[in-house]
Amino acid sequence: MTNSALSATSATLSPARIRLALLALALGGFGIGATEFVAMGLLPEIGRDLLPGLAASDPDAANAQAGWLISAYALGVVVGAPTIAAAAAKWPRKRLLLVLLAWFTVGTVASALLPSFGLVLVARFVAALPHGAYFGIASLVAASLMGPGKRARGVALVLSGLTIANVVGVPTITWLGQQAGWRTAYLAVAAIFALALLAVLATVPFQAGDKTATVRNELRAFGRLQVWFAIAIGAIGFGGFFAVYSYVSPMATEVAGLDASVVPWVLVSAGLGMTVGNLVGGRIADRSVRRSMYAMFGLLAASLVALGLSASTAVGIFAGVFLVGLAASALSPTIQVRLMDVAGDSQSIAAALNHSALNIGNSIGAALGGVAIAAGLGYVAPVWIGLGLTAAGSILAVSTFAIDRSRRARGQHVVSTTTSMHAVEVR
């Protein structure tokens, strides 16, 4: 859509209709936050139900294997985000949003009802495919609804659904799962998606897709070295957060000795940290992406060390997960801006690739943390795994900006040499 068409779209709607449409889009983001993170607080319950034999003989191994569900969802995001974003760019946006929300609803219901671990694993992968595309398209729609000069606020409102889910939705649904079973928790998440679908259907106006978009043009981003560096920074560096967050429930109960009823409050602490981190990261990344990335990787490493040394205490685990969530979430907008800076004209897929990168980190962190637990290293081991991933992400960050400096220096050298040669010719 052209800018004039977008302005016309917002101008023809009442302020109340625009607010309702934005809330409907945010509700979809709330559902995504719930479906992505609720498993992390219910690993023991999932392991006992789907892996009863293993849970009876080796509860740690059952929790580690249940963590594969987190990895499966993350891999689904990785596959689906760029694929759907590139292939469906021409679709009318409201129609695509409805299809994606219906997909989420069916996939989440299947996750709740399928009888075996293997089938639930497949369902989590399939349910994750529309994740990145939803955020990308919903952000474009929100930007158009807000109108000129207010687009960033519209995008932030859509993403606020994900943030609020980590503060309110995930702890509440975790508590529900502990009381009524993890399957009931997933049915509650499916109900949120169904409600979001109806809300989008009722409030979001029709918007045409991008008729000029082609898969080839979007995929050109993959030919840029710095795009791959940005993806790797998100995938590896952000994995440090997920190595911890994936196993926060057994860490709270087995290491800190807290009752299972306290786990939702630990998740609230992490969610509050993520909320603050989003706000902080967006502000400092606007000033300097490089300094923001360096500072947040440093804070994430320090937070992981503090958590690893104090996880046996209630204060340590509450404060530790808050700081880890803050630092990691502050990295998210920074990595997003970096991707958009280096992706050239492939801006749509750049937004989707951010979700792919972070969910590769989700998969890597959850998988490596599970390996450490299954090896008998204990529930603090994922914290040190996370520190190693954070260190690797920091090295990649330093490398990508070193390449920028090198290219600028070579460019200046070429200009300087050309100028000197021209001066000789003149003489």
Side-chain angles (χ1 to χ4, degrees), residues 188-422:
V189 174
I192 294 171
F193 281 127
L195 182 60
L197 187 153
L198 294 175
V200 168
L201 179 64
T203 63
V204 174
F206 172 85
Q207 288 189 5
D210 184 357
K211 299 299 183 182
T212 65
T214 66
V215 174
R216 176 179 295 181
N217 287 342
E218 291 296 323
L219 294 181
R220 284 177 180 168
F222 290 108
R224 298 173 179 265
L225 175 63
Q226 291 289 47
V227 167
W228 286 105
F229 262 101
I231 292 172
I233 290 169
I236 296 174
F238 214 80
F241 167 69
F242 285 110
V244 173
Y245 197 44
S246 299
Y247 302 99
V248 69
S249 176
M251 186 188 303
T253 56
E254 302 299 325
V255 178
L258 303 176
D259 189 80
S261 62
V262 180
V263 170
W265 295 106
V266 177
L267 296 176
V268 168
S269 182
L272 288 172
M274 294 169 71
T275 301
V276 174
N278 255 336
L279 297 174
V280 171
R283 287 181 177 274
I284 63 176
D286 280 340
R287 298 176 182 176
S288 171
V289 172
R290 179 177 60 84
R291 287 197 293 269
S292 173
M293 197 173 291
Y294 288 168
M296 290 306 109
F297 268 125
L299 178 59
L300 180 56
S303 301
L304 287 166
V305 171
L307 176 60
L309 296 177
S310 63
S312 60
T313 68
V315 172
I317 198 163
F318 270 94
V321 298
F322 174 86
L323 290 173
V324 169
L326 187 155
S329 287
L331 278 170
S332 179
T334 305
I335 295 169
Q336 175 69 82
V337 172
R338 178 62 179 172
L339 268 168
M340 296 180 73
D341 285 346
V342 299
D345 295 329
S346 306
Q347 293 295 297
S348 296
I349 204 167
L353 285 174
N354 185 46
H355 294 281
S356 292
L358 299 186
N359 279 274
I360 291 172
N362 188 342
S363 181
I364 291 173
L368 292 179
V371 168
I373 293 169
L377 299 179
Y379 288 109
V380 178
V383 177
W384 307 120
I385 295 288
L387 182 61
L389 291 171
T390 298
S394 302
I395 292 171
L396 288 168
V398 171
S399 300
T400 191
F401 292 114
I403 291 172
D404 279 351
R405 290 194 297 273
S406 176
R407 287 177 174 175
R408 285 195 297 269
R410 287 201 302 270
Q412 292 169 356
H413 176 71
V414 169
V415 171
S416 176
T417 302
T418 303
T419 302
S420 298
M421 292 175 63
H422 178 69

Side-chain angles (χ1 to χ4, degrees), residues 8-295:
T9 297
S10 58
T12 58
L13 299 175
S14 68
R17 173 71 181 277
I18 291 174
R19 285 194 295 270
L20 288 173
L22 292 169
L23 287 172
L25 296 172
L27 183 59
F30 184 92
I32 292 174
T35 198
E36 181 175 15
F37 296 118
V38 73
M40 297 172 182
L42 294 173
L43 288 183
E45 289 79 8
I46 294 172
R48 285 194 296 269
D49 183 37
L50 294 178
L51 304 164
L54 184 60
S57 62
D58 191 344
D60 290 353
N63 286 340
Q65 188 168 332
W68 295 359
L69 298 178
I70 300 169
S71 297
Y73 185 92
L75 289 174
V77 178
V78 172
V79 173
T83 304
I84 297 175
K90 291 185 177 182
W91 280 37
R93 289 172 179 171
K94 179 175 180 177
R95 183 189 304 170
L96 180 55
L97 287 172
L98 293 173
V99 169
L100 296 175
L101 287 168
W103 192 335
F104 273 125
T105 304
V106 174
T108 308
V109 169
S111 301
L113 299 182
L114 288 172
S116 69
F117 180 79
L119 290 175
V120 173
L121 193 71
V122 173
R124 296 312 296 150
F125 174 84
V126 173
L129 292 172
H131 178 122
Y134 178 86
F135 274 122
I137 299 302
S139 294
L140 291 173
V141 173
S144 71
L145 290 172
M146 292 295 287
K150 299 180 180 179
R151 293 181 301 168
R153 274 177 275 180
V155 174
L157 183 57
V158 173
L159 294 177
S160 72
L162 178 63
T163 302
I164 294 170
N166 282 285
V167 178
V168 179
V170 173
T172 301
I173 297 172
T174 297
W175 175 85
L176 176 64
Q178 291 174 337
Q179 303 303 311
W182 70 271
R183 295 181 185 275
T184 301
Y186 273 110
L187 289 175
V189 174
I192 294 171
F193 281 127
L195 182 60
L197 187 153
L198 294 175
V200 168
L201 179 64
T203 63
V204 174
F206 172 85
Q207 288 189 5
D210 184 357
K211 299 299 183 182
T212 65
T214 66
V215 174
R216 176 179 295 181
N217 287 342
E218 291 296 323
L219 294 181
R220 284 177 180 168
F222 290 108
R224 298 173 179 265
L225 175 63
Q226 291 289 47
V227 167
W228 286 105
F229 262 101
I231 292 172
I233 290 169
I236 296 174
F238 214 80
F241 167 69
F242 285 110
V244 173
Y245 197 44
S246 299
Y247 302 99
V248 69
S249 176
M251 186 188 303
T253 56
E254 302 299 325
V255 178
L258 303 176
D259 189 80
S261 62
V262 180
V263 170
W265 295 106
V266 177
L267 296 176
V268 168
S269 182
L272 288 172
M274 294 169 71
T275 301
V276 174
N278 255 336
L279 297 174
V280 171
R283 287 181 177 274
I284 63 176
D286 280 340
R287 298 176 182 176
S288 171
V289 172
R290 179 177 60 84
R291 287 197 293 269
S292 173
M293 197 173 291
Y294 288 168

